[in-house]
Amino acid sequence: MESPVLSSALPSQPAPPVARSVRDHRIDAMRGVALLMMFVDHIPQSLLNRFTMRNVGFADAAEIFVLLAGYASWLAYGRGFRKYGVSVCLGRIFRRCVLLYIGQTIMVMVYVLTIRVWRHYTLVPVDFLEPELAHGLSWVWRVMMFDALPSNLNILPLYIVLLGGFPLFYVLMRIHRSLALLLAGAMWMLVNLDPDLNLPNWLDPDGWYFNPFAWQFLFALGASAAAETERRGADFPRVDLLAGCCVLYLMFSALQAFPWALWGLPDLRPFGAMIMPEKSWLSPLRLLDVMAIFYLVQSSSAARKWAAESRMGQILARVGRHSLEIFVVGTVLDLYARLLFSTFGDGWLLQIVVNVVGLSILLALAAWLDGYRKRQRAAKAA
């Protein structure tokens, strides 16, 4: 039986049939890039993370990940409400949240058990695992209920909360798209004015590192972008003035955020030692950064062609199509890479081995998962 709340938000006239659209490989490729950069960024000792986007802008891979999660959620479930009905689509959202929860549980258990075993043989830096998780079992229920979010294991809980709230956002979108974005933006602005508005975190008095009341706006912007693209049946229009403003802003962001001192270069920051925009509650400069990147890519036919036809574009898109599996495996590999560096040093040989082996595992996993999915579809079609 369909939810009366969702049903009442639907128009009285029959909805037009949802056409099967051609997959936009740019979304998959961007998500693939974000996943690989998250793998690299979560290894502080890795020299490779000097070349990720967090060094050339205010935003980093996490913003790309959440924005595209919203975009993909509309494609998967926003159209699904009209095509399959409310009850079926709610069931699909619930199953996806369960899979995300299983992935989060696997990562937490691997982290805790690995570090507890590893420290029997060698010292492990205390920041690899919060002290509250190092002993006893009192932490289990807190972690399972998201009352405690360990470092580097806090983005999937955010995703679960945002996806769980997607039906409400869908209702607001069907009532009026501007209303949905206005409410989401107002909540984001309220958090930026009062960062104490957050969910509690037993491990951090400041609450969730990714404040869901702020990050929901980025998720909502991604979903709205997907809805607009679907309505238009075409890419975002390429407005030269807007594209130029995006490029200029990204140039400023790159100059201001680049670690000049780390590279031994003259400091070219336009505003000197400016306080970097806060990631926890998604400061406006970070939001503008990721939206500028998104607009330039999504309004570019050249980017669409590159993602669909080039070898590198297809490799990255393959990674992005299996985001949950790649993220879980990549996060586990991050832990072992950090332990190897802390135990054996971060010399060049180990740098090469860790990064080459880690990235190769993720790319090979994406290729295997893609082949497995194709074989399943072929068997179902047969």
Side-chain angles (χ1 to χ4, degrees):
M1 180 178 296
E2 293 191 353
S3 165
V5 177
L6 284 173
S7 298
S8 64
L10 301 177
S12 56
Q13 66 271 21
V18 180
R20 184 176 181 84
S21 59
V22 177
R23 190 178 186 100
D24 188 350
H25 295 282
R26 289 173 300 185
I27 298 300
D28 293 327
M30 279 195 291
R31 187 154 53 177
V33 171
L35 288 164
L36 295 179
M37 284 194 295
M38 290 168 79
F39 163 73
V40 173
D41 284 340
H42 287 170
I43 312 173
Q45 306 98 318
S46 174
L47 295 178
L48 197 58
N49 62 35
R50 295 188 183 186
F51 301 94
T52 57
M53 65 177 287
R54 69 177 184 176
N55 297 289
V56 289
F58 296 131
D60 60 26
E63 280 88 350
I64 297 291
F65 182 84
V66 173
L67 176 69
L68 298 183
Y71 194 102
S73 294
W74 182 268
L75 298 181
Y77 310 114
R79 297 185 299 187
F81 278 119
R82 289 170 288 160
K83 186 174 182 179
Y84 303 111
V86 173
S87 58
V88 171
C89 200
L90 288 177
R92 292 177 61 191
I93 292 175
F94 176 75
R95 287 192 293 273
R96 183 61 177 175
C97 287
V98 169
L99 288 176
L100 293 170
Y101 186 84
I102 292 172
Q104 174 73 5
T105 302
I106 291 172
M107 292 190 299
V108 170
M109 294 306 174
V110 170
Y111 260 60
V112 174
L113 293 176
T114 297
I115 292 177
R116 287 189 177 187
V117 171
W118 198 285
R119 64 161 45 106
H120 284 298
Y121 302 97
T122 184
L123 293 176
V124 177
V126 67
D127 63 340
F128 278 27
L129 189 69
E130 280 77 4
E132 294 89 345
L133 307 183
H135 308 285
L137 295 175
S138 61
W139 56 269
V140 174
W141 72 269
R142 293 182 180 275
V143 171
M144 294 298 97
M145 297 298 293
F146 295 162
D147 183 52
L149 296 183
S151 302
N152 288 346
L153 300 174
N154 43 24
I155 198 166
L156 282 191
L158 170 70
Y159 191 3
I160 292 172
V161 169
L162 297 180
L163 185 56
F166 178 81
L168 174 60
F169 181 74
Y170 174 80
V171 170
L172 294 173
M173 286 280 286
R174 295 307 305 271
I175 294 173
H176 200 287
R177 188 174 304 173
S178 298
L179 173 64
L181 281 179
L182 179 63
L183 292 176
M187 178 62 72
W188 166 76
M189 181 61 68
L190 181 61
V191 175
N192 273 262
L193 295 174
D194 181 13
D196 291 334
L197 179 61
N198 199 351
L199 294 180
N201 182 3
W202 182 58
L203 301 174
D204 187 346
D206 293 329
W208 283 31
Y209 179 70
F210 293 102
N211 189 321
F213 299 116
W215 283 73
Q216 54 79 30
F217 185 41
L218 187 56
F219 187 87
L221 286 170
S224 300
E228 178 64 18
T229 301
E230 180 188 33
R231 185 189 68 82
R232 293 173 51 85
D235 292 342
F236 291 161
R238 187 75 168 195
V239 181
D240 290 340
L241 178 60
L242 180 57
C245 290
C246 289
V247 171
L248 289 175
Y249 179 78
L250 291 175
M251 290 174 60
F252 155 71
S253 174
L255 290 172
Q256 187 65 41
F258 189 79
W260 302 101
L262 184 64
W263 290 86
L265 298 173
D267 191 343
L268 301 180
R269 290 178 295 179
F271 292 98
M274 183 183 82
I275 298 175
M276 291 299 290
E278 181 59 45
K279 183 175 182 177
S280 181
W281 53 84
L282 192 62
S283 293
L285 291 180
R286 297 184 73 99
L287 182 64
L288 288 173
D289 202 287
V290 67
M291 294 308 298
I293 294 171
F294 182 75
Y295 173 75
L296 291 176
V297 173
Q298 287 303 104
S299 63
S300 170
S301 57
R304 176 185 283 274
K305 182 177 180 180
W306 176 84
E309 299 179 7
S310 72
R311 176 65 176 166
M312 181 57 68
Q314 279 299 289
I315 290 174
L316 293 173
R318 197 160 54 196
V319 173
R321 282 194 289 269
H322 307 282
S323 57
L324 177 57
E325 297 89 343
I326 298 298
F327 179 78
V328 170
V329 173
T331 302
V332 171
L333 291 175
D334 285 330
L335 170 64
Y336 287 105
R338 295 169 68 194
L339 288 171
L340 287 173
F341 281 136
S342 66
T343 303
F344 302 105
D346 55 0
W348 278 104
L349 179 60
L350 195 55
Q351 289 277 349
I352 294 172
V353 170
V354 164
N355 285 292
V356 170
V357 171
L359 291 172
S360 297
I361 289 174
L362 297 181
L363 295 176
L365 175 62
W368 181 84
L369 290 170
D370 219 49
Y372 178 74
R373 178 181 290 181
K374 290 178 180 177
R375 290 191 297 271
Q376 277 191 322
R377 288 176 177 172
K380 186 180 294 185

